[in-house]
Amino acid sequence: MSASLWVWRLLAVWTLLAVSASQRNGLNALDFSQRFGNALPSLSRPANASQIFYGIMFDAGSTGTRIHVYTFIQKEPDGLPVLDNEMFHSMKPGLSAYADIPEIAGHTVRQLLRVAKKTVPPVEWKRTPVVFRATAGLRLLSPAKAHALLEEVQDVFDESPFYVPPDSVSIMNGTNEGILAWVTVNFLTAHTHELYTHSYLGNGIKAARLSALGALGSDGLERKVFQTSCLPKKYTGEFSFGGFSYRVSGVTNGVTGFKACYQEMLKVVKGIINQPHELKDSSTFYAFSYYFDHAVEAGLIDESRGGAVKIRDYRKRAKEVCNRPSKRSELNPFLCMDLTYIVCLLKDGFGFKERTVLQLTKKVRNVETSWALGAAIYHFQKFRIH
């Protein structure tokens, strides 16, 4: 049985957190085709148009909102569909920045839907499902503020010409986010990887900054200045996250640099992040999101090609950035803090060795390696879209 078929089996079994190749048994392609049902509205279409269908997935993260418009082809009536193309676009900042002005969040979604309208033929709009899933940024908001944002997005979807399924707008569970990212990598690389997933709310790259600064849950933000040895000594500025702005600065009379910064980041990781027993140092590990982005910023990999990076490479570059501020530090004063956190998280959190290699990639087969494709596969297989 192919790895693609095994992917479909995993989508139906959310309780599995780790799988091995010996467990591989699942749905056949005919079962898959029959399970679409008749959920989508019918309409007149060209004779050969039934071979192509589309799906729209919104990824609303803490740093930005992204739209993925997928084109699938059903080459054989009893076979699995093939991913033909992905149209991707993103906008910053994340929707959580508009926690107090949700109408701006709605404007962001409207702008991104224009990409879908240009990609999907008008004749297919009523049959193309659109789904919105928010992640860490909205998970950290108060329920009332998160609900207001989701309501705004739902209103925009309801006004759109696309098919809006039930439960089309929601916040996604962090564990499921990991599972769906795993599905994406397996689907695109055509071989089976084992899965370990655990969600640590508050340990994303931006929330970790606030934790290290002691700013999470702090009152009187307009009066406080949060200092850290991870920022350049003379730096003063603001950092926005979750609808709040925080005043931050370096420590003018204290110790700065990699060692001091590492001790600050340890407080965010030690006793909070668990080392998975399933970790095998000989395995191949794929990493994306901020692991990829900061490796590009630090000059460790080329953005267009990606590449393999050892944990020690992150550590060496973090020491250079923290101990000898350069143009990179001027462009992103938080680069020292973020790189140090990545090293601390991988070594003292997850327990990776310094020699462990991470395969950093933004795309596989020209498709974004995020959870969005896995989510699209899961959600859109419910509908008759071929």
Side-chain angles (χ1 to χ4, degrees), residues 318-333:
K319 287 182 70 174
E320 292 174 8
V321 172
C322 294
N323 296 341
R324 295 190 296 276
S326 62
K327 189 173 182 180
R328 286 195 179 99
S329 303
E330 294 175 9
L331 294 174
N332 179 4

Side-chain angles (χ1 to χ4, degrees), residues 229-262:
S229 58
C230 298
L231 288 171
K233 277 192 174 185
K234 297 181 179 180
Y235 176 81
T236 59
E238 286 195 356
F239 167 57
S240 297
F241 182 68
F244 296 97
S245 291
Y246 303 84
R247 298 170 64 195
V248 296
S249 73
V251 290
T252 54
N253 298 318
V255 178
T256 60
F258 178 74
K259 286 185 178 180
C261 182
Y262 201 92

Side-chain angles (χ1 to χ4, degrees), residues 336-347:
C336 163
M337 177 180 264
D338 292 345
L339 288 175
T340 303
Y341 177 63
I342 288 173
V343 177
C344 190
L345 179 64
L346 293 173
K347 287 183 59 180

Side-chain angles (χ1 to χ4, degrees), residues 84 92 98 103 135 163 185 189 194 216 224 275 307 379:
D84 179 64
K92 295 183 178 181
Y98 309 123
E103 60 274 12
T135 57
Y163 174 66
V185 172
T189 57
E194 291 188 7
L216 272 180
K224 289 188 178 181
Q275 297 185 6
H379 289 288

Side-chain angles (χ1 to χ4, degrees), residues 223-329:
R223 298 186 303 274
K224 289 188 178 181
V225 177
F226 298 95
Q227 293 188 325
T228 172
S229 58
C230 298
L231 288 171
K233 277 192 174 185
K234 297 181 179 180
Y235 176 81
T236 59
E238 286 195 356
F239 167 57
S240 297
F241 182 68
F244 296 97
S245 291
Y246 303 84
R247 298 170 64 195
V248 296
S249 73
V251 290
T252 54
N253 298 318
V255 178
T256 60
F258 178 74
K259 286 185 178 180
C261 182
Y262 201 92
Q263 291 305 309
E264 288 189 25
M265 304 319 295
L266 269 178
K267 298 174 185 176
V268 184
V269 171
K270 274 295 188 183
I272 298 173
I273 307 297
N274 300 318
Q275 297 185 6
H277 299 296
E278 298 87 350
L279 195 66
K280 298 175 182 177
D281 196 48
S282 60
S283 300
T284 299
F285 298 96
Y286 281 82
F288 25 91
S289 189
Y290 62 74
Y291 296 103
F292 180 95
D293 296 334
H294 287 303
V296 171
E297 267 191 286
L300 293 173
I301 59 172
D302 179 82
E303 185 172 16
S304 61
R305 296 193 302 269
V309 173
K310 294 181 179 179
I311 309 302
R312 69 165 66 103
D313 297 329
Y314 273 116
R315 179 181 55 78
K316 289 179 180 177
R317 190 52 51 88
K319 287 182 70 174
E320 292 174 8
V321 172
C322 294
N323 296 341
R324 295 190 296 276
S326 62
K327 189 173 182 180
R328 286 195 179 99
S329 303

Side-chain angles (χ1 to χ4, degrees), residues 97-219:
Y98 309 123
D100 295 320
I101 41 174
E103 60 274 12
I104 303 300
H107 178 66
T108 297
V109 174
R110 282 192 185 91
Q111 286 185 289
L112 290 172
L113 277 174
R114 293 175 185 170
V115 176
K117 289 180 179 179
K118 292 179 180 178
T119 306
V120 180
V123 70
E124 296 291 338
W125 286 355
K126 290 183 180 179
R127 295 177 52 85
T128 299
V130 56
V131 175
F132 174 99
R133 291 293 178 261
T135 57
L138 265 67
R139 289 184 206 132
L140 290 169
L141 292 179
S142 68
K145 290 187 175 183
H147 179 75
L149 287 170
L150 295 179
E151 284 287 299
E152 186 69 29
V153 174
Q154 186 69 60
D155 289 344
V156 173
F157 274 19
D158 291 340
E159 295 168 1
S160 81
F162 299 105
Y163 174 66
V164 183
D167 191 34
S168 58
V169 178
S170 67
I171 298 175
M172 186 166 59
N173 175 281
T175 298
N176 289 352
E177 183 179 346
I179 293 172
L180 293 172
W182 175 89
V183 170
T184 295
V185 172
N186 275 271
F187 186 85
L188 295 176
T189 57
H191 63 285
T192 300
H193 299 281
E194 291 188 7
L195 167 70
Y196 168 85
T197 181
H198 189 104
S199 177
Y200 294 98
L201 185 61
N203 279 88
I205 197 77
K206 287 197 170 184
R209 292 179 186 176
L210 297 181
S211 295
L213 289 163
L216 272 180
S218 179
D219 295 324

